[in-house]
């Protein structure tokens, strides 16, 4: 196609059309001189117009269509007509193959240099140009240029190299450079794909006739199956070397960790191996250090709950528990609290297994059961180190619970976690673990229970009418309001991999103990404690908080009911 050209400079055109003022243009030009960025990007950054406004205007001036690709199904094989490295560099995406031409989306269709390069890269096909928002382009890059093809290719290559080897143990066969390099490329592709898809965990599971590689994305596992099951031992061998584990031990579970830099992300990997019927299963938890520690505001916690929790963590002493199952975001909440408390006037000591994020000024101790460096051992020593605040990674046994409670009674603020379903049962669980009721009732100040639920994808959200069974369950939960509420779900789009969900948000309940609850605990009266807790004005159960999100169109009915199944909604 003939390269489209603007008849005037972009800034002058925007002023002439009264989209921005001349003063705003001068301000943007001055800012542009300092940053060197494009004028359009500078105008958007300064808030003088939106990305959509700019693209729609540019498209009109250039005589090309403006496309919203978030709702458009683009095939990966079509997008890959333009290699990823060039697509990301030139901010361009092949949207359709039209035979002797392609429909090409660009975030800056007026960039003549980029267009010249694209015409050479896509030749002999001609280009039909469209304007596309840059934010949508980057989302499409991540979902379309996945590493699944690379993973399958390297797995096949590794299998071929195994066929040529006379050694029956593939893990031992690759002392040679070629095989070792192939294993490295395969694992690199697996990690790159996981980071690109925002996966929290990678599971490598050998089966009799296939190898499963699964990723946990937004709390749900997604599976990729490789037929080359015999390569599993080579992958496990390389991962064990990376984590500093014993490569000769295949009969016992092992735990380790290592660090990677993937596509600009600093990733800490916590690795666990377990012997299974057809080899060793590996699960790796990915912790993105680049993202940093979230604040309370970034967790999705409601403002009123944040204010109440801040009051609790600034108290001079007492115990505060964060509870929920594995993967519910307890550690994130604890680190948010620690980052707020991390001041020069506070001596903070933590006992963690493992230390997930390194925090300046805080004395963080890593559990090491091999040398008997346990939670209780560290807690006993920490109390002699003149701390103001102690964080114990988990209340695992009676000794740790009792020491933590006594520490909270002797002038320390103690933060910890517990694996329970809700806030009310957490206090009772401490007594089940052997702690005396008078200790729990005297030391415990607040319990926050939480879950992570999937957000509805903002690009494909639509209203939805629940079926009779769903309305029945919701009515049992919140009453007649369930029948008059408008609900939403995601119909599925490119942006969310056609799942209808994108990202997660925390659901919380905060129980602040009053005198009646404390007295009930001191008397080992679980029934009265439960009654007083439900009657507390500030207490809103997890299920009700989740329903509030559904009313706001943040989560679906499916997510509310999924959460309800995991908690006790009686009482």
């Amino acid at each position: 196609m003939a390269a489209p050209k603007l008849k005037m400079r972009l800034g002058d055109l925007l002023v002439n059309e009264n989209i921005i003022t001349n003063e705003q243009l001068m301000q943007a030009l001055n800012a542009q001189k300092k940053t060197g960025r494009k004028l359009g990007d500078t105008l958007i950054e300064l808030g003088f117009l939106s990305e959509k406004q700019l693209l729609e205007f540019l498209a009109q001036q250039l005589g090309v269509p403006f496309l919203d690709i978030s709702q458009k199904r683009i095939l990966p094989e079509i997008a890959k007509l333009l290699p990823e490295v060039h697509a990301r560099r030139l901010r361009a995406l092949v949207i359709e193959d039209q035979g002797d031409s392609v429909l090409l989306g660009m975030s800056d269709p007026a960039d003549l240099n980029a267009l010249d390069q694209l015409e050479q890269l896509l030749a002999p096909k001609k280009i039909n140009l469209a304007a596309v928002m840059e934010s949508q382009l980057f989302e499409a890059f991540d979902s379309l240029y996945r590493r699944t093809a690379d993973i399958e290719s390297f797995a096949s290559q590794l299998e071929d190299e195994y066929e040529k080897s006379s050694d029956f143990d593939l893990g031992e066969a690759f002392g040679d450079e070629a095989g070792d390099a192939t294993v490295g490329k395969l694992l690199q592709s697996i990690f790159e794909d996981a980071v690109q898809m925002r996966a929290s965990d990678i599971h490598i599971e050998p089966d009799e006739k296939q190898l499963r590689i699964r990723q946990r994305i937004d709390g749900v596992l997604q599976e990729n199956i490789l037929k080359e099951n015999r390569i599993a031992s080579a992958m496990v061998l390389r991962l064990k070397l990376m984590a500093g584990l014993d490569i000769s031990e295949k009969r016992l579970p092992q735990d380790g960790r290592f660090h990677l830099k993937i596509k600009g992300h600093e990733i800490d990997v916590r690795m666990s191996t377990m012997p299974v019927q057809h080899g060793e299963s590996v699960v790796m938890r990915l912790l993105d250090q680049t993202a940093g520690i979230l604040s309370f505001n970034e967790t999705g916690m409601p403002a009123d709950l944040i204010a109440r929790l801040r009051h609790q963590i600034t108290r001079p002493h007492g115990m505060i528990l964060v509870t929920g199952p594995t993967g519910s975001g307890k550690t994130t909440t604890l680190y948010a609290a620690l980052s707020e408390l991390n001041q020069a006037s506070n001596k903070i000591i933590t006992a963690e297994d493992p230390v997930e994020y390194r925090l300046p000024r805080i004395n963080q101790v890593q559990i090491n059961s091999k040398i008997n460096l346990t939670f209780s051992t560290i807690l006993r020593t920490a109390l002699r180190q003149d701390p103001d605040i102690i964080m114990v990674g988990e209340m695992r046994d009676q000794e740790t619970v009792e020491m933590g409670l006594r520490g909270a009674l002797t002038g320390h603020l103690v933060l910890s976690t517990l694996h329970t379903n809700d806030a009310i049962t957490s206090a009772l669980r401490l007594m089940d673990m052997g702690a005396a009721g008078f200790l729990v009732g005297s030391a415990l100040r607040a319990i926050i229970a939480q879950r992570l639920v999937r957000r509805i994808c903002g690009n494909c959200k639509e209203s939805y009418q629940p079926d009779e069974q769903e309305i029945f369950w919701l009515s049992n939960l919140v009453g007649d309001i369930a029948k008059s509420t408008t609900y939403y779900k995601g119909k599925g789009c490119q942006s969310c991999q056609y799942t209808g969900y994108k990202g997660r948000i925390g659901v919380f309940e905060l129980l602040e103990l009053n005198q009646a609850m404390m007295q009930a605990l001191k008397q080992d009266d679980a029934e009265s404690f439960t009654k007083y807790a439900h009657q507390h004005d500030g207490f809103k159960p997890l299920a009700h908080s989740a329903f509030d999100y559904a009313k706001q169109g943040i989560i679906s009915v499916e997510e509310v009911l999924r959460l309800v199944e995991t908690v006790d909604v009686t009482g």
Side-chain angles (χ1 to χ4, degrees):
M1 67 172 287
K5 294 182 182 179
L6 293 173
K7 298 173 184 177
M8 297 171 60
R9 291 185 301 179
L10 175 61
D12 295 331
L13 279 169
L14 291 168
V15 172
N16 284 350
E17 295 293 326
N18 295 318
I19 296 174
I20 62 171
T21 64
N22 194 58
E23 291 74 18
Q24 288 174 328
L25 174 60
M26 292 300 105
Q27 188 178 337
L29 289 170
N30 288 332
Q32 186 190 22
K33 289 176 184 175
K34 297 175 184 176
T35 63
R37 300 187 67 191
K38 292 180 180 179
L39 179 61
D41 293 337
T42 305
L43 288 165
I44 293 168
E45 195 173 87
L46 292 171
F48 295 152
L49 78 171
S50 68
E51 182 187 8
K52 186 177 181 182
Q53 278 179 299
L54 177 63
L55 263 292
E56 286 178 334
F57 176 77
L58 269 177
Q60 182 183 1
Q61 294 296 316
L62 296 170
V64 300
F66 170 77
L67 291 182
D68 178 358
I69 61 169
S70 65
Q71 304 294 330
K72 192 171 182 64
R73 186 154 203 154
I74 303 168
L75 299 175
E77 57 268 27
I78 299 299
K80 288 173 184 176
L81 291 172
L82 181 65
E84 180 184 9
V85 62
H86 300 302
R88 290 185 182 273
R89 180 173 59 87
L90 300 171
R91 307 290 194 267
L93 177 71
V94 178
I95 299 168
E96 290 179 13
D97 185 354
Q98 300 171 327
D100 60 353
S101 63
V102 293
L103 177 60
L104 185 76
M106 290 184 69
S107 62
D108 184 1
D111 188 338
L112 300 182
N113 288 331
L115 195 55
D116 285 342
Q117 294 179 58
L118 289 162
E119 285 178 333
Q120 294 176 32
L121 289 165
L122 292 167
K125 290 182 180 288
K126 296 177 182 178
I127 291 175
N128 295 321
L129 200 57
V132 174
M133 287 197 291
E134 187 171 282
S135 55
Q136 291 186 357
L137 276 183
F138 279 108
E139 282 190 346
F141 292 154
D142 286 345
S143 63
L144 292 167
Y145 290 104
R146 292 197 61 181
R147 297 292 180 270
T148 48
D150 291 342
I151 292 168
E152 290 168 2
S153 173
F154 289 131
S156 177
Q157 184 179 336
L158 197 56
E159 180 89 343
D160 289 344
E161 289 165 3
Y162 169 72
E163 295 289 351
K164 297 171 185 175
S165 172
S166 59
D167 198 323
F168 282 94
D169 187 342
L170 186 61
E172 303 296 331
F174 285 111
D176 65 298
E177 293 182 5
D180 204 40
T182 308
V183 178
K185 290 175 183 176
L186 173 59
L187 290 172
Q188 178 80 7
S189 297
I190 290 171
F191 284 118
E192 285 183 359
D193 189 57
V195 170
Q196 196 164 296
M197 297 308 296
R198 302 170 290 105
S200 59
D201 302 83
I202 300 172
H203 296 232
I204 298 174
E205 302 168 342
D207 210 334
E208 183 180 4
K209 296 182 179 178
Q210 57 195 13
L211 173 64
R212 287 186 177 87
I213 298 177
R214 302 201 274 180
Q215 299 176 347
R216 191 173 295 281
I217 300 171
D218 292 338
V220 178
L221 284 171
Q222 296 184 11
E223 187 172 74
N224 184 27
I225 294 177
L226 301 176
K227 63 180 185 296
E228 297 86 1
N229 63 315
R230 290 180 293 181
I231 67 173
S233 56
M235 295 169 65
V236 174
L237 175 66
R238 169 59 77 90
L239 289 168
K240 281 184 172 181
L241 288 169
M242 292 167 71
L245 302 181
D246 183 354
I247 62 173
S248 64
E249 180 56 77
K250 301 177 183 179
R251 300 166 300 168
L252 293 173
Q254 295 187 68
D255 295 312
R257 67 189 300 169
F258 55 92
H259 187 81
L260 292 172
K261 188 167 185 177
I262 302 287
K263 303 184 79 169
H265 293 257
E266 299 285 340
I267 306 294
D268 262 350
V269 182
R270 284 163 42 190
M271 173 176 155
S272 171
T273 71
M274 182 175 68
V276 292
Q277 189 175 8
H278 299 287
E280 288 179 275
S281 167
V282 176
V283 175
M284 293 175 284
R285 168 68 56 90
L286 309 183
L287 296 167
D288 191 345
Q289 301 289 331
T290 313
I293 296 169
L294 297 181
S295 67
F296 283 141
N297 294 324
E298 292 171 314
T299 62
M301 199 178 289
D304 64 320
L305 196 146
I306 291 174
R308 290 163 55 203
L309 187 57
R310 280 191 173 130
H311 169 69
Q312 291 293 340
I313 66 172
T314 52
R315 297 176 74 163
H317 57 81
M319 176 179 282
I320 298 172
L321 289 177
V322 183
T323 73
T326 301
S328 59
K330 299 186 298 295
T331 304
T332 300
T333 300
L334 276 181
Y335 274 109
L338 287 178
S339 64
E340 293 209 1
L341 294 168
N342 189 10
Q343 301 168 6
S345 57
N346 285 331
K347 167 86 170 186
I348 303 175
I349 300 175
T350 73
E352 303 176 62
D353 185 21
V355 175
E356 295 191 3
Y357 294 96
R358 278 75 173 176
L359 296 170
R361 198 188 287 119
I362 293 179
N363 298 272
Q364 296 174 272
V365 186
Q366 167 75 53
I367 296 297
N368 188 343
S369 56
K370 292 178 182 177
I371 57 171
N372 200 33
L373 189 63
T374 61
F375 282 122
S376 56
T377 306
I378 296 168
L379 186 51
R380 186 180 297 109
T381 305
L383 289 168
R384 297 197 290 265
Q385 290 273 312
D386 188 27
D388 297 291
I389 299 160
I390 300 170
M391 193 271 272
V392 183
E394 185 184 343
M395 290 291 169
R396 288 184 180 173
D397 52 56
Q398 181 180 352
E399 185 182 9
T400 306
V401 170
E402 290 187 342
M403 289 182 65
L405 290 168
R406 293 186 188 281
L409 284 174
T410 54
H412 307 93
L413 180 66
V414 179
L415 308 176
S416 190
T417 71
L418 199 61
H419 284 272
T420 50
N421 284 333
D422 56 48
I424 293 174
T425 57
S426 299
L428 306 178
R429 173 71 179 136
L430 292 178
M431 293 192 290
D432 288 343
M433 293 173 73
F438 76 88
L439 263 182
V440 179
S442 301
L444 193 59
R445 293 291 176 265
I447 308 168
I448 184 162
Q450 63 185 81
R451 295 288 190 284
L452 291 175
V453 292
R454 293 178 293 173
R455 288 177 178 267
I456 298 171
C457 174
N459 282 322
C460 60
K461 184 165 79 172
E462 62 181 12
S463 59
Y464 155 72
Q465 180 57 45
D467 61 33
E468 289 183 10
Q469 187 69 19
E470 289 171 328
I471 289 293
F472 172 78
W473 282 106
L474 291 171
S475 298
N476 283 342
L477 179 66
V478 296
D480 289 340
I481 191 175
K483 297 174 183 176
S484 58
T485 298
T486 301
Y487 300 99
Y488 296 88
K489 69 173 184 177
K491 66 179 181 182
C493 67
Q494 190 79 48
S495 178
C496 63
Q497 295 285 298
Y498 300 96
T499 62
Y501 297 100
K502 188 166 186 182
R504 290 191 289 176
I505 188 170
V507 179
F508 305 88
E509 67 179 20
L510 175 60
L511 178 64
E512 297 169 289
L513 275 71
N514 57 23
Q515 285 300 321
M517 285 185 259
M518 291 179 187
Q519 193 61 34
L521 289 173
K522 289 176 185 177
Q523 296 172 355
D524 292 336
D525 188 348
E527 187 177 338
S528 294
F529 172 77
T530 302
K531 181 182 75 173
Y532 294 141
H534 280 292
Q535 290 173 350
H536 194 288
D537 288 340
F539 178 67
K540 179 184 282 189
L542 279 168
H544 289 246
S545 298
F547 181 77
D548 286 347
Y549 280 149
K551 281 199 301 183
Q552 298 168 41
I554 297 172
I555 69 173
S556 67
V557 170
E558 178 189 11
E559 286 297 282
V560 176
L561 296 179
R562 198 160 68 94
L563 181 142
V564 167
E565 289 175 356
T566 68
V567 297
D568 179 11
V569 295
T570 61

